[in-house]
Amino acid sequence: MLLHPMIEPASPLASLHGITKVFANGVTALAGFDLDIRAGEFLSLLGPSGCGKSTVLRLIAGLAEPTTGHVAWPGSTHEDHRSEIGFVFQEPTLMPWADVADNVWLPLQLRGVSRHDARERIAESLSLVGLENFAKAYPRELSGGMKMRVSIARALSLKPRLLLMDEPFAALDEITRFRLNDDLLRLQNDLRCTVVFVTHSVYESAYLSSRIAVMSPRPGRIVAEVMGETPGSRAKDFRTSTRYAALCGEISRILLEHMAEERG
Amino acid sequence: MAPASNPWKLVLPLAVFAAAVGAWEATVRLQGIPPYILPAPSLIGATMIADWPLLRASLLTTLGTTLLGLALAVAGGVFLALLLSLSRIVEYSLYPFAIVLQVTPVIAIAPLLLIYMPQDVAVLTCAWLVAFFPVLSNTMLGLQSVDRNLMELFQLYGAPASRTPLALFRSRLKALWYLRRPAALPAFLTGLRIAGGLSLIGAVVAEMAAGSAGAGSGLAYRIIESQYRLNIPRLFAALVLLALTGIGLYLLLAGLSHRFLRRWHESALAPEK
Ligand SMILES: Nc1ncnc2c1ncn2[C@@H]1O[C@H](COP(=O)(O)OP(=O)(O)OP(=O)(O)O)[C@@H](O)[C@H]1O
Ligand SMILES: [Mg+2]
């Protein structure tokens, strides 16, 4: 127990407090939303379609402003937190006119790093996702899973402290998804970054996360939290373990309970 | 515009063309049709050689007008599209006029232009006018067609630290350069291909309008002149040169488009085997 303390660290990496998000067309996407993101954790946001998961990520990244409430960054100023965020969209969102290396370069390029100086970083990011031999390929020459890995490499090129991922593997087949899940866990372990991962798959959240936050249907808020497997104690055959099966069962039960509640 | 890997794609149209020219030649000879009604292809060829100094000068005039008109249209169209994309105020106040001018057959103002301007300037203006709007509207469409997520990515990684108007403007310029410019390339090249053809048409129509009004020397003027003089072989020779100009222009612009897009854009990809 002492090796894997479950107590919260003193100050979270980011903290969303009393958030309401009302869009211009009057849709209330989030109401009474509270969430702490703890340094080093793998947090999954799980909820039905349209409950506001993407909106939460956009608020964290500063791409949208909350209507009420605020996003706090204890430990760093609001201005510089952006440089610590990597964002992976649901689609790969690559520039079709640029080859893989240039796509990975983009965040650095926008920060004013020359192609020459970025060379090493690009190679490093690409080898982290196992695409070192595809630096010169164009996006259309890659498979869907490879494009997604380029997108992840791009998010990693800035060495983010916080990686935001919006259903990155939703469009992929099971086999590829399993492999990328394992890659992602290895990456997080290597880079020691914090991950906030949006998904609507119970199984994916159970497999990946150290913590799962379950959201209610719109207007979204956190209705339950489930502690997942701690990163250090994850067994190699976790996917076939009884612990994994129990986690899936528990999450499904909570999800169903809250959906029924909403309806009833 | 992938190179024709299938030889039939080249051989078949050439064979059809040769057969048609042969049939034309045979008909004219067998039926004894006089050259002032329908000259034989061989006579057109001979006229082309005999009148070459004259026709060459006309060809150069028309070609020069077309290319200069196209170049000015590209410069003006791209510049205005950039301006419109950088400022909402400019866009709202100018774009409606661009649309009104686009849906009006501007070619009809050629006679008016001839009154107000020296003849060569009027012809050039005409070529420019008709080529300008395809470039403008296609480039604008292209500049707006950046993936929304890519723009957000840009906002995340490239947004300015301060929110002063100057910093915001510079960030817009940056987005323009890194994302909008490459994203606009396919649409721009489509506009360029359309504009190339239209610029030639504009030059020809204006030359024809000018032809009846005064001196002229372009290919279209030669056609009108030959018609008056019933020099039908020369009329055909000028027509052939005009057609070749159009084909050359098309091939040039299509080749350019292929050269820029071949690695990444769907329109330039060779079919999978
Ligand atoms: N720009 C916007 N303007 C108006 N309403 C919006 C906007 N973006 C999202 N919404 C609404 O807010 C709600 C939450 O959207 P969001 O994209 O966060 O859902 P989500 O949980 O990510 O769903 P999914 O799992 O399907 O991606 C939705 O009902 C949507 O209609
Ligand atoms: Mg979403």
Side-chain angles (χ1 to χ4, degrees):
Chain A
M1 267 300 121
L2 271 178
L3 279 176
H4 310 294
M6 290 282 202
I7 9 159
E8 288 185 34
S11 82
L13 184 66
S15 144
L16 288 77
H17 203 75
I19 301 257
T20 311
K21 178 69 186 175
V22 184
F23 283 106
N25 59 2
V27 173
T28 306
L30 300 170
F33 186 92
D34 293 298
L35 181 68
D36 278 353
I37 298 160
R38 301 168 198 159
E41 75 175 336
F42 196 119
L43 171 66
S44 280
L45 281 178
L46 182 67
S49 178
C51 74
K53 304 181 295 293
S54 300
T55 308
V56 171
L57 284 197
R58 290 166 47 78
L59 288 173
I60 298 173
L63 291 173
E65 293 294 323
T67 312
T68 64
H70 66 283
V71 184
W73 296 83
S76 71
T77 63
H78 187 74
E79 280 70 42
D80 66 17
H81 80 262
R82 275 192 175 186
S83 59
E84 301 172 343
I85 292 179
F87 205 123
V88 179
F89 293 99
Q90 188 162 348
E91 291 87 37
T93 327
L94 303 176
M95 304 179 289
W97 57 82
D99 64 19
V100 165
D102 283 342
N103 266 291
V104 175
W105 177 35
L106 181 74
L108 296 164
Q109 184 183 25
L110 291 174
R111 288 280 155 75
V113 182
S114 78
R115 183 71 160 77
H116 186 82
D117 294 342
R119 230 178 15 182
E120 246 165 57
R121 276 283 191 91
I122 296 171
E124 203 180 318
S125 298
L126 282 178
S127 73
L128 278 175
V129 297
L131 284 179
E132 54 274 59
N133 295 329
F134 288 88
K136 286 270 155 283
Y138 279 73
R140 54 159 287 268
E141 298 159 351
L142 304 177
S143 72
M146 288 159 93
K147 279 185 215 165
M148 213 57 233
R149 281 190 279 164
V150 176
S151 176
I152 294 171
R154 177 178 58 192
L156 294 177
S157 70
L158 281 176
K159 297 221 165 95
R161 276 217 296 159
L162 176 59
L163 192 56
L164 305 175
M165 306 182 90
D166 193 353
E167 304 185 35
F169 309 139
L172 303 179
D173 63 282
E174 203 104 296
I175 302 163
T176 315
R177 176 136 44 120
F178 283 0
R179 223 198 27 247
L180 289 177
N181 282 168
D182 287 328
D183 289 348
L184 183 58
L185 286 173
R186 180 178 49 76
L187 273 176
Q188 195 212 5
N189 196 46
D190 291 354
L191 299 174
R192 308 239 150 259
C193 60
T194 310
V195 180
V196 179
F197 189 93
V198 162
T199 178
H200 28 222
S201 161
V202 168
Y203 307 101
E204 200 171 41
S205 68
Y207 185 66
L208 290 171
S209 324
S210 57
R211 188 159 66 107
I212 300 120
V214 181
M215 288 176 69
S216 68
R218 203 186 67 217
R221 70 199 151 79
I222 306 289
V223 288
E225 263 184 35
V226 181
M227 294 311 290
E229 188 74 342
T230 38
S233 60
R234 184 184 303 271
K236 251 214 137 54
D237 53 357
F238 183 59
R239 209 180 278 284
T240 50
S241 67
T242 47
R243 166 88 175 111
Y244 171 65
L247 258 178
C248 291
E250 190 186 350
I251 300 166
S252 304
R253 191 180 49 74
I254 291 175
L255 207 55
L256 284 175
E257 222 169 69
H258 285 280
M259 299 311 111
E261 216 171 80
E262 282 312 308
R263 234 171 267 142
Chain B
M1 272 311 291
S5 43
N6 187 347
W8 287 109
K9 273 188 180 169
L10 203 61
V11 171
L12 279 177
L14 280 180
V16 170
F17 181 72
V21 172
W24 178 355
E25 183 83 38
T27 313
V28 170
R29 284 182 188 233
L30 290 178
Q31 311 228 340
I33 300 175
Y36 54 84
I37 293 187
L38 183 67
S42 56
L43 180 59
I44 297 173
T47 312
M48 184 91 80
I49 293 166
D51 292 351
W52 183 242
L54 189 73
L55 288 172
R56 198 185 85 104
S58 299
L59 174 65
L60 287 181
T61 305
T62 302
L63 202 58
T65 311
T66 305
L67 290 180
L68 190 59
L70 182 61
L72 290 176
V74 168
V78 169
F79 177 75
L80 196 59
L82 288 179
L83 208 65
L84 296 183
S85 81
L86 276 177
S87 159
R88 275 281 136 76
I89 298 173
V90 182
E91 181 185 341
Y92 290 159
S93 45
L94 287 188
Y95 199 55
F97 296 103
I99 291 176
V100 168
L101 276 173
Q102 189 177 13
V103 296
T104 310
V106 279
I107 217 78
I109 68 169
L112 208 59
L113 291 177
L114 283 160
I115 298 176
Y116 294 140
M117 298 173 181
Q119 193 188 338
D120 45 348
V121 180
V123 174
L124 183 63
T125 307
C126 233
W128 174 79
L129 260 183
V130 288
F132 175 76
F133 292 103
V135 176
L136 173 68
S137 51
N138 278 282
T139 309
M140 271 193 73
L141 186 75
L143 288 172
Q144 284 160 356
S145 68
V146 190
D147 188 320
R148 214 180 115 248
N149 284 340
L150 267 180
M151 284 311 280
E152 296 214 315
L153 209 65
F154 175 85
Q155 214 183 319
L156 184 66
Y157 295 128
S162 66
R163 307 201 61 78
T164 59
L166 184 70
L168 285 178
F169 181 73
R170 284 187 39 189
S171 127
R172 279 197 150 189
L173 277 185
K174 226 163 144 191
L176 186 70
W177 183 256
Y178 288 126
L179 294 181
R180 292 188 192 275
R181 179 186 55 99
L185 195 62
F188 164 75
L189 288 167
T190 305
L192 186 65
R193 281 214 301 273
I194 299 170
L198 283 180
S199 173
L200 181 61
I201 293 177
V204 164
V205 170
E207 274 178 17
M208 286 191 160
S212 53
S217 57
L219 280 176
Y221 172 74
R222 281 300 154 231
I223 288 177
I224 301 273
E225 182 201 47
S226 311
Q227 181 206 14
Y228 284 149
R229 297 184 183 171
L230 241 80
N231 190 346
I232 306 303
R234 190 192 282 170
L235 191 155
F236 267 95
L239 210 52
V240 168
L241 284 179
L242 266 183
L244 289 177
T245 308
I247 294 169
L249 208 58
Y250 177 83
L251 287 180
L252 178 79
L253 295 176
L256 202 69
S257 177
H258 179 68
R259 156 95 187 57
F260 280 122
L261 301 182
R262 92 198 123 152
R263 272 312 285 277
W264 65 274
H265 201 255
E266 301 297 337
S267 71
L269 299 181
E272 303 287 320
K273 288 278 154 57

